[in-house]
Amino acid sequence: MAGSKENYPKTDEHRKSGDWNNLWDTFREIDPDFLEAYLNFRSVPQARGPLPNKVKELILIAVNASTTHMYEPGVRRHIQNALKVGATREEIVECLQLSSLIGIHAFNVGVPILVEEIGKNAD
């Protein structure tokens, strides 16, 4: 599998910055090389690109708050970061409102099926 846990700069950077998911400790035990490669990959958009940091943080709030992720420590960290780079309370609230729209898909899929099934049982 993997070699020594020494010399993993991206892993160490994430741990020191507080951008660390405790579940990654298990990945680090199993395959620190994979974890290091993953952290390098996920850091690319944060390190460069045309979007302002405020926009990046708002997107990361949406990702972490979405019904398919719901990672509270990430939401907290990126709200703190967004405020530090100038996001307003209203912008963050709108971001959360927009990300909540993902959950409505369950109704868009489920309600027509429910109506169909109820119709079948009524016959």
Side-chain angles (χ1 to χ4, degrees), residues 74-90:
V75 174
R76 181 175 307 281
R77 181 173 51 256
H78 292 295
I79 286 176
Q80 291 168 350
N81 291 346
L83 290 168
K84 287 178 190 170
V85 295
T88 65
R89 178 178 59 173
E90 292 77 16

Side-chain angles (χ1 to χ4, degrees), residues 62-70 99-104:
V63 167
N64 282 276
S66 73
T67 57
T68 56
H69 195 60
M70 294 174 41
S99 69
S100 74
L101 297 175
I102 294 170
I104 198 69

Side-chain angles (χ1 to χ4, degrees), residues 1-3 8 26-36:
M1 278 225 227
Y8 288 96
T26 303
F27 290 136
R28 188 169 189 240
E29 288 296 319
I30 294 170
D31 194 340
D33 293 333
F34 176 82
L35 178 62
E36 183 71 8

